[in-house]
Amino acid sequence: MALTKEIMGGRLIDGPSFVTTSRMFMNQRLGMVKKNQFLVRPVLVPLQQIRRQEQVRRVVKGPPVAVISEDIIKANNNTSLPVKAVKFKVRALVTVRNKHKEDLKETIVKQLDALTDNIIGRNVVLELISTEVDPKSKEPKRSKKAALRDWSKKSNIKAERVHYTAELTVDSDFGVPGAITVSNKHQQEFFLETITIDGFACGPVHFPCNSWVQSKKDHPAERIFFSNKPYLPSETPAGLKALRDKELSNLRGDGKGVRKMSDRIYDFDVYNDLGNPDKGNHLVRPRLGGKAIPYPRRCRTGRLPMDSDINAESRVEKPTPLYVPRDEQFEESKQITFSNGRLRAVLHTLIPAIKASISADNQDFSSFSDIGVLYKEGLLLKVGLQDEIWKNLPLLKAVNKIQESGEGQLKYDTPKILSRDKLAWLRDDEFARETVSGINPVSIERLRVFPPRSSLDPEIYGPLESALKEEHILGHLNGLSVSQALEENKLFMIDYHDIYLPFLDRINALDGRKAYATRTIFFLTPLGTLKPVAIELSLPPAGPNSRSKRVVTPPVDATGSWIWQLAKAHVCSNDASVHQLVHHWLRTHASLEPFILAAHRQLSAMHPIFKLLDPHMRYTLEINALARQNLINGDGVIESCFTPGQYSMEISAAAYKNFWRFDKESLHADLIRRGMAVPDPTQPHGLKLLLEDYPYAQDGLLIWSAIENWVRTYVEHYYPDSSIVCNDKELQAWYSESVNVGHFDLRDADWWPKLATSDDLIWILTVLIWLASAQHAALNFGQYPYGGYVPNRPTLMRRLIPEENDPEYANFLADPQKYFLLALPNVLQGTKLMAVIDTLSTHSPDEEYIGERQQPSIWTGDAEMIEAFYDFSAEIQQIEQEINRRNADPSLKHRCGAGVLPYELLAPSSGPGVTCRGVPNSVTI
């Protein structure tokens, strides 16, 4: 004992209040002390004096090492002395996030866990793992296992975060800590946020966890967490190689069995769960994914098949949740905002109340003032026996007040489109403006050929010549001929002819659904603004002599004005469906899911590319699962409130087969494909916009450039040579699985980008981050601000435009306003949609916006990349200032002017709620 005291310089090493520290000696690559090289003479200092560096600018470059004194180095040349590894203690600081609310069962189990933790040792146990392998056992060096302290004492703490400690004993030749295992012997899961290890010479070693740790009774295996130091697969230290492979194997699973909500398994499946044939033929829906109907893959749940169709997966109806891996599920504040709060309230309580409140003779809006009443006075709901449910309805702003009589008042927020000019929706300039700065700015294209041409098969769909003639538009071109307007890039178009026409016979056969396949021509005025000059309305030919096409032009009389308004409404209905089913759902939700699944299956948490992508994958699997359950399913919100009805997802699938191409998903490629820009190396972003006042493109190019610069800095740091990209087995497996499994039906397309160089990787990653962040934000968060007023953006039309020889024409002439309102969604359809898109346009309080990250100073152990991320964040803030400046520029008339809404959908920051601005990192809603 005396000798031990002399060697240790004082108190015995196993004392609980001290750890060893001094200057570190590190091997050039791994910082490990070689066995049989030095004498051990650590120096003790109080634990309280250990520095806890959290700020990036004080991060010490280089890996941490076990604490070794200068005497070791001095003894370097004296190899005759025997070497004996001495044990010392390091401290783990563990941060656990509490739930805000617990049900009775959770409270009881929590108290039971506290009791058993204290009395019989059913506790949470940690074990630290080195990057080194023990030369004798050939296994990674490990600390002694240690339990978290004071779990029972802290069980009643109500703070959001609770900190626990544990003391871990390691040998002095332990080396660099690279992983830690956590074993939860309690009955209940807990959310582990971070673990920080104090006691190594370089300062704290961080383990960002952000994960639910399940009880051993449910998941016997220990959880593995890696430190924040990134490693490419080829650079993985020997002590972590097996753990790296084991963790990925755990996440992949075996592709068998029904998934439990506590599982962490990522796998692929087709969309065979949208219908419910067990409830009747009216809910039969085709399988999406496969040779017949190509579609991206979704997350596998393994549920049993339907009784009536073994190829259809059984439905899980609300409020029972669909499986997604445990760490993909919404955190509590998000659940309150969305899944357990507003949307579920809408779908479970509000909508049945609306149905019961609307009598048979009160199903249609009788005047525009009826719609205005929804914002001023609200929709009177006869709640009756649902009174107690109603009082607890967490619908936030939607429920204005509860009356003692038992009648609830549902009052909608005034949509932003009405906030500055209540009649803006009627004007042609607003109709045109929204094509470049509204909720769907990605359909407009430059008209390159007049009349426009179809690519459909004429043998199937009949003569496809456009009905548009030069005389239809010539008087609206400011004195230009059509050929001059084309040459000067003055003509633009929104073309829904080919995507809609194949479905029109089936859509128009549905009860209460009527649609055209529309084309709209716009002229760029000398003021730099767009104006509509013609709308072509097409129906499938009923016979060789049938009039299946008509052209409507700006009106010159009263009757023409109402026909023009109806034509614009049909264009908006087409636009709403294509926006929702193609640009929004397919391009930013469904097409990203395979890349996310493959990332978790093939990229280790240690991989630098996983660390880069991690914030851009948050919540996407969960929101997609909720969409399959509530929104895109048979008889769901989309089918109920959008014109295509039960054929909605088939339209989405047709777009995937005929339109979607990953190589065209970059902002630059998309703008060029639509003819809205041409390459120009003299321009700041390498593009020249042919429509200069195009807010989505102008602001989008700023954000794209910032993302690309950040990704380039990051990728070139880890892949200075393209051979490293080719030889990175995890990276290649991720991209290969994303394409060949996740997008199986299109895997043989020749347009898939290769992944062979650093530039290839930069482009692929920039596209994915762009789609998940800015592209989704531009397409999502304006839904209620623009669509919350039904006449501005009707998602469903119930009447065609009457011709002079139609029986309905006389009714139209007698009361055109009534006819117009009868063509729009009815009260139930309109209010249902308003309630849902209000929810879908809402930012939750825990939103993470572009330029932000959880634990910004420790998400990686690479100090240089943390600095680069702060530079990226600063650039995002500068972009926001530039967007604010543009929105105040009166020369930019598509975003500034009397009654004109500023374009803020790509303004990076936002507060919670419906704000019509903000760019979250990921697809979270």
Side-chain angles (χ1 to χ4, degrees):
M1 293 291 290
L3 178 61
T4 303
K5 286 185 178 181
E6 181 180 349
I7 292 175
M8 301 314 299
R11 183 174 171 173
L12 289 176
I13 189 65
D14 57 358
S17 300
F18 296 87
V19 297
T20 56
T21 189
S22 76
R23 294 185 182 179
M24 59 183 175
F25 175 82
M26 57 183 81
N27 151 307
Q28 185 178 10
R29 183 72 173 164
L30 294 177
M32 299 181 292
V33 179
K34 296 181 180 178
K35 192 173 181 181
N36 300 326
Q37 191 169 6
F38 308 121
L39 281 174
V40 177
R41 196 178 185 88
V43 179
L44 291 168
V45 297
L47 182 63
Q48 292 85 345
Q49 294 180 15
I50 302 246
R51 297 178 62 198
R52 297 176 184 169
Q53 298 170 316
E54 290 291 340
Q55 298 301 319
V56 62
R57 287 161 181 80
R58 295 191 295 177
V59 172
V60 178
K61 296 183 180 179
V65 297
V67 180
I68 306 296
S69 75
E70 291 180 359
D71 292 342
I72 295 176
I73 302 173
K74 293 176 181 178
N76 185 26
N77 295 322
N78 188 351
T79 58
S80 62
L81 295 176
V83 176
K84 182 178 180 181
V86 177
K87 298 185 182 300
F88 69 100
K89 291 189 175 182
V90 295
R91 186 175 73 167
L93 177 65
V94 178
T95 302
V96 172
R97 189 187 304 165
N98 268 340
K99 288 187 175 182
H100 295 293
K101 295 182 180 179
E102 296 176 339
D103 59 30
L104 180 60
K105 180 181 177 181
E106 288 174 328
T107 301
I108 293 172
V109 174
K110 183 177 181 180
Q111 294 303 317
L112 181 62
D113 281 341
L115 183 65
T116 56
D117 184 284
N118 188 45
I119 296 177
I120 62 175
R122 283 186 182 172
N123 42 28
V124 177
V125 178
L126 310 181
E127 184 180 34
L128 195 61
I129 301 174
S130 172
T131 57
E132 291 188 48
V133 171
D134 187 292
K136 293 183 179 179
S137 67
K138 307 301 181 184
E139 296 292 327
K141 296 177 181 179
R142 295 174 180 262
S143 71
K144 288 187 176 180
K145 293 184 177 180
L148 293 191
R149 294 176 171 176
D150 299 329
W151 189 282
S152 59
K153 292 181 180 179
K154 297 181 178 181
S155 62
N156 291 320
I157 292 178
K158 302 301 181 183
E160 182 179 6
R161 290 172 176 82
V162 181
H163 303 289
Y164 302 93
T165 60
E167 285 193 349
L168 296 145
T169 302
V170 298
D171 290 337
S172 54
D173 62 353
F174 182 79
V176 181
I180 194 166
T181 64
V182 181
S183 182
N184 177 14
K185 299 179 183 179
H186 293 162
Q187 298 294 302
Q188 189 162 270
E189 67 177 5
F190 64 88
F191 189 84
L192 179 58
E193 196 166 82
T194 61
I195 300 175
T196 300
I197 305 297
D198 277 333
F200 292 93
C202 70
V205 181
H206 299 290
F207 295 80
C209 304
N210 298 308
S211 179
W212 291 96
V213 179
Q214 301 299 320
S215 168
K216 283 182 69 70
K217 68 180 177 63
D218 298 318
H219 294 269
E222 296 175 327
R223 283 296 310 278
I224 304 166
F225 296 100
F226 298 104
S227 78
N228 63 352
K229 180 173 175 57
Y231 294 102
L232 293 174
S234 61
E235 299 173 344
T236 309
L240 302 181
K241 286 182 178 178
L243 287 176
R244 184 171 188 149
D245 293 340
K246 179 181 179 181
E247 177 68 357
L248 284 174
S249 178
N250 291 341
L251 292 170
R252 293 184 195 120
D254 59 7
K256 300 176 182 178
V258 179
R259 297 273 65 85
K260 300 181 296 184
M261 293 303 295
S262 58
D263 285 346
R264 297 171 56 249
I265 295 176
Y266 298 78
D267 206 350
F268 299 91
D269 207 344
V270 296
Y271 283 72
N272 61 349
D273 62 343
L274 300 182
N276 195 347
D278 286 356
K279 285 191 174 182
N281 290 335
H282 68 289
L283 288 177
V284 173
R285 297 293 181 272
R287 184 181 87 163
L288 305 184
K291 186 175 181 180
I293 306 180
Y295 212 63
R297 298 304 188 257
R298 48 93 172 176
C299 183
R300 179 186 178 275
T301 68
R303 298 194 305 273
L304 297 175
M306 290 275 184
D307 293 335
S308 57
D309 183 355
I310 62 171
N311 294 315
E313 192 171 80
S314 55
R315 290 282 301 169
V316 173
E317 302 295 353
K318 49 189 182 287
T320 305
L322 281 181
Y323 169 78
V324 294
R326 182 64 181 99
D327 290 338
E328 305 302 317
Q329 297 166 30
F330 288 161
E331 294 179 17
E332 194 172 10
S333 61
K334 180 75 170 180
Q335 289 175 350
I336 293 171
T337 303
F338 188 87
S339 60
N340 290 341
R342 301 184 66 187
L343 184 59
R344 293 196 176 183
V346 167
L347 297 175
H348 304 162
T349 307
L350 172 61
I351 291 172
I354 292 175
K355 288 181 178 178
S357 302
I358 299 172
S359 61
D361 59 350
N362 187 31
Q363 294 183 348
D364 298 310
F365 293 110
S366 60
S367 67
F368 291 109
S369 61
D370 284 353
I371 303 173
V373 165
L374 296 175
Y375 317 115
K376 295 178 181 179
E377 300 176 17
L379 179 66
L380 196 63
L381 300 177
K382 309 290 184 182
V383 181
L385 296 176
Q386 293 181 318
D387 186 52
E388 289 303 314
I389 299 174
W390 189 259
K391 287 181 178 178
N392 294 318
L393 184 66
L395 199 58
L396 304 181
K397 293 180 292 182
V399 177
N400 182 255
K401 63 180 180 180
I402 305 299
Q403 297 178 338
E404 293 183 357
S405 63
E407 295 180 338
Q409 198 80 5
L410 177 64
K411 187 175 179 182
Y412 294 88
D413 291 333
T414 301
K416 220 169 186 181
I417 186 63
L418 301 180
S419 63
R420 295 195 175 192
D421 184 349
K422 294 181 179 180
L423 299 178
W425 69 276
L426 283 167
R427 298 199 314 267
D428 286 356
D429 63 286
E430 178 62 23
F431 173 75
R433 190 191 71 84
E434 290 184 25
T435 66
V436 292
S437 57
I439 189 56
N440 179 20
V442 296
S443 283
I444 190 166
E445 59 185 289
R446 179 168 53 90
L447 187 61
R448 284 163 273 199
V449 176
F450 189 89
R453 298 170 183 169
S454 171
S455 60
L456 295 176
D457 186 345
E459 293 187 7
I460 299 175
Y461 300 104
L464 299 174
E465 291 80 10
S466 172
L468 284 161
K469 308 296 181 185
E470 288 196 10
E471 54 263 30
H472 289 129
I473 66 172
L474 198 56
H476 304 282
L477 304 185
N478 202 43
L480 297 177
S481 67
V482 173
S483 60
Q484 286 176 316
L486 288 172
E487 290 173 7
E488 295 180 19
N489 301 318
K490 300 291 188 183
L491 291 176
F492 296 84
M493 174 177 64
I494 290 186
D495 186 356
Y496 295 133
H497 180 276
D498 286 6
I499 195 168
Y500 252 87
L501 194 68
F503 294 91
L504 280 185
D505 279 334
R506 286 179 284 170
I507 291 172
N508 288 336
L510 296 173
D511 184 33
R513 310 293 172 104
K514 297 299 175 187
Y516 298 96
T518 66
R519 287 189 180 109
T520 308
I521 309 298
F522 299 89
F523 175 67
L524 182 61
T525 71
L527 292 175
T529 58
L530 294 173
K531 72 173 182 178
V533 296
I535 296 173
E536 182 183 31
L537 306 166
S538 297
L539 294 170
N545 299 317
S546 65
R547 291 184 59 194
S548 59
K549 302 177 187 293
R550 67 186 293 188
V551 175
V552 181
T553 55
V556 294
D557 59 21
T559 301
S561 293
W562 282 104
I563 289 176
W564 181 246
Q565 289 298 335
L566 281 166
K568 290 194 297 181
H570 274 283
V571 172
C572 289
S573 176
N574 274 191
D575 187 76
S577 295
V578 173
H579 159 258
Q580 197 70 267
L581 298 168
V582 179
H583 300 313
H584 180 199
W585 168 256
L586 172 64
R587 295 176 67 186
T588 68
H589 284 259
S591 67
L592 286 183
E593 187 158 347
F595 290 95
I596 294 171
L597 291 169
H600 286 280
R601 289 167 52 86
Q602 303 297 341
L603 295 176
S604 167
M606 287 189 283
H607 200 293
I609 300 305
F610 185 89
K611 292 180 181 295
L612 174 70
L613 288 175
D614 188 35
H616 306 290
M617 303 187 290
R618 185 180 186 229
Y619 290 159
T620 303
L621 297 185
E622 171 81 338
I623 194 63
N624 286 3
L626 284 166
R628 297 202 320 274
Q629 187 178 47
N630 301 322
L631 300 178
I632 64 173
N633 58 302
D635 204 31
V637 171
I638 298 297
E639 289 193 3
S640 300
C641 299
F642 286 74
T643 302
Q646 68 189 65
Y647 306 109
S648 294
M649 289 304 293
E650 291 183 59
I651 289 179
S652 182
Y656 179 67
K657 178 181 179 181
N658 301 317
F659 167 80
W660 187 86
R661 289 179 49 162
F662 186 67
D663 65 324
K664 301 297 184 184
E665 288 298 274
S666 75
L667 178 59
H668 290 65
D670 181 56
L671 291 170
I672 292 170
R673 171 171 63 175
R674 292 188 283 118
M676 301 302 292
V678 292
D680 185 344
T682 68
Q683 296 295 314
H685 305 287
L687 284 181
K688 178 182 179 182
L689 291 176
L690 298 182
L691 175 60
E692 293 183 7
D693 188 5
Y694 188 0
Y696 159 78
Q698 289 175 310
D699 297 354
L701 286 169
L702 293 177
I703 294 180
W704 171 276
S705 180
I707 294 171
E708 185 179 42
N709 291 340
W710 156 235
V711 172
R712 182 173 298 279
T713 300
Y714 193 89
V715 167
E716 290 179 346
H717 179 72
Y718 295 103
Y719 298 93
D721 187 273
S722 292
S723 64
I724 305 175
V725 173
C726 295
N727 295 324
D728 187 332
K729 64 178 184 179
E730 286 185 6
L731 185 72
Q732 293 295 332
W734 162 68
Y735 187 60
S736 176
E737 188 171 68
S738 299
V739 174
N740 295 312
V741 181
H743 287 278
F744 179 84
D745 305 323
L746 300 182
R747 69 193 185 283
D748 294 327
D750 59 7
W751 42 254
W752 282 103
K754 305 298 183 184
L755 180 52
T757 68
S758 298
D759 283 341
D760 294 340
L761 180 57
I762 290 165
W763 188 91
I764 290 167
L765 295 172
T766 303
V767 169
L768 294 175
I769 294 172
W770 160 260
L771 292 173
S773 58
Q775 181 77 307
H776 178 260
L779 295 168
N780 183 76
F781 292 102
Q783 290 190 77
Y784 187 80
Y786 283 99
Y789 185 64
V790 173
N792 183 61
R793 193 171 174 79
T795 59
L796 182 152
M797 293 297 286
R798 297 183 292 152
R799 299 283 192 278
L800 295 175
I801 302 174
E803 304 261 11
E804 290 187 16
N805 57 349
D806 291 339
E808 289 187 320
Y809 192 72
N811 294 331
F812 164 71
L813 290 179
D815 194 341
Q817 176 179 289
K818 181 179 180 180
Y819 190 93
F820 182 85
L821 291 169
L822 287 173
L824 300 183
N826 62 31
V827 177
L828 176 58
Q829 292 163 336
T831 53
K832 179 179 181 179
L833 178 75
M834 289 163 63
V836 172
I837 63 173
D838 176 66
T839 300
L840 299 180
S841 303
T842 298
H843 290 293
S844 65
D846 72 336
E847 202 86 88
E848 293 174 12
Y849 298 94
I850 192 165
E852 299 176 350
R853 286 196 69 132
Q854 291 184 3
Q855 294 117 17
S857 63
I858 63 167
W859 63 272
T860 177
D862 192 326
E864 189 174 341
M865 290 301 96
I866 291 179
E867 289 280 7
F869 181 77
Y870 280 127
D871 291 341
F872 169 61
S873 181
E875 186 174 359
I876 292 296
Q877 293 176 29
Q878 292 172 359
I879 288 171
E880 181 153 340
Q881 295 174 6
E882 172 61 17
I883 291 173
N884 292 338
R885 186 198 66 76
R886 290 174 175 178
N887 284 329
D889 185 347
S891 69
L892 300 175
K893 299 185 183 302
H894 283 149
R895 65 199 305 162
C896 182
V900 174
L901 293 181
Y903 187 71
E904 297 180 310
L905 287 169
L906 289 176
S909 69
S910 175
V914 179
T915 63
C916 201
R917 61 176 292 136
V919 179
N921 274 323
S922 60
V923 179
T924 62
I925 194 78

